[in-house]
Amino acid sequence: AGHSNARICEDLVISKGTLNTHLYKIYGKLGVHSRQDVTTLIAETDLDALSRGNDATDATKRSEASTRG
């Protein structure tokens, strides 16, 4: 399991507001709304293909399409 927001703030010596701002921006770039969505996206994404510069898997494309409406 991941760390709590409080633990992350403590480890990085940042405020909860700063952490929330960073999470909001990261989630926006990934097209997700929560840590669970990030976990699902990672599980459905061919990370090897992404590291080679190839297109993401169909699951990732479906995830992106669903966030667009």
Side-chain angles (χ1 to χ4, degrees):
H3 295 295
S4 68
N5 284 357
R7 169 78 186 270
I8 293 168
C9 290
E10 182 180 315
D11 289 351
L12 298 177
V13 192
I14 60 174
S15 72
K16 289 181 184 178
T18 299
L19 176 63
N20 287 335
T21 297
H22 287 299
L23 290 174
Y24 178 81
K25 289 180 180 183
I26 291 167
Y27 293 166
K29 288 180 181 187
L30 293 174
V32 301
H33 301 286
S34 69
R35 287 183 185 175
Q36 181 60 50
D37 291 346
V38 172
T39 302
T40 301
L41 181 64
I42 290 169
E44 295 177 346
T45 301
D46 182 352
L47 298 178
D48 290 330
L50 290 176
S51 69
R52 291 188 305 268
N54 298 335
D55 286 336
T57 64
D58 290 336
T60 302
K61 291 176 185 176
R62 282 194 308 273
S63 175
E64 291 172 354
S66 70
T67 60
R68 288 188 213 121

